[in-house]
Amino acid sequence: MPSALILIADGTEEMEFTITYDTLVRAGVKCTSAFVEPQGRKSENTYATCSRGVRIVPDMPEADIPLDAADVFDAIVVPGGAKGAETISQKPTIQALVRDFYGKKKVVSMICAGSIAALESGLPFQPLTSHPSVKEQLDRKYDYREDPVIVSSNLITSRGPGTAFPFALTIVEMLCGPEKRKEVYEPMVFPK
């Protein structure tokens, strides 16, 4: 069974987190969420307060992410939401994690402002996309595109809440194949 580590922080965009988590579970992917705290600060909460105020209880704190996470999980997901993406992308431990997943050819997926983690982690020049609010930062270092979802080797990037379903389904396809993507897609009853 494939597995995914999904990061979350205060300020994470709810839709990007929940749609991705839910879609992966529907495909049979074992998902584990990890709460990332701002550098140098310890939260007293056992939940993440997302960008629109929804509270989500993660499966574990960042401190419990295994040191060999890239050997334990098949994918890592960095959702957006400006504040959450900033917290996640600026954390040196997360930057190292992203580089490790990328280097080991595991699926590295980022959506919305979460794509800034590619820059902060020092991933190499390649095609990617993001929310327009961080385009200028990424456009200088990457082959920036505005497609809903970009796949470049083992890096998947996407634009924002409105592209969360195609983003999640692309992760499903990378982890489980095109037939599983179709199997998950059809019962969701997307409009024609």
Side-chain angles (χ1 to χ4, degrees), residues 29-153:
V29 176
K30 182 178 181 343
C31 294
T32 303
S33 59
F35 182 58
V36 179
E37 296 173 315
Q39 186 69 21
R41 286 198 309 222
K42 180 81 174 128
S43 175
E44 295 184 17
N45 296 329
T46 57
Y47 55 82
T49 302
C50 294
S51 62
R52 305 299 181 269
V54 173
R55 293 177 177 173
I56 296 176
V57 179
D59 298 314
M60 67 179 174
E62 175 194 350
D64 290 351
I65 296 174
L67 294 175
D68 61 345
D71 297 323
V72 174
F73 298 98
D74 300 299
I76 187 169
V77 179
V78 180
K83 183 181 172 196
E86 180 180 334
T87 296
I88 292 168
S89 68
Q90 291 184 352
K91 202 81 184 275
T93 53
I94 300 302
Q95 294 166 2
L97 204 58
V98 167
R99 286 190 298 272
D100 197 27
F101 271 81
Y102 186 81
K104 291 181 177 175
K105 301 294 185 204
K106 300 294 182 96
V107 174
V108 176
S109 49
M110 304 169 178
I111 184 169
C112 194
S115 294
I116 206 74
L119 177 67
E120 297 294 339
S121 301
L123 297 189
F125 176 85
Q126 61 194 297
L128 58 64
T129 194
S130 71
H131 190 269
S133 65
V134 296
K135 174 185 177 180
E136 192 174 304
Q137 295 170 62
L138 295 167
D139 199 22
R140 297 179 197 142
K141 299 275 186 179
Y142 295 97
D143 178 9
Y144 192 89
R145 300 182 185 178
E146 295 185 356
D147 303 37
V149 178
I150 299 286
V151 177
S152 174
S153 182

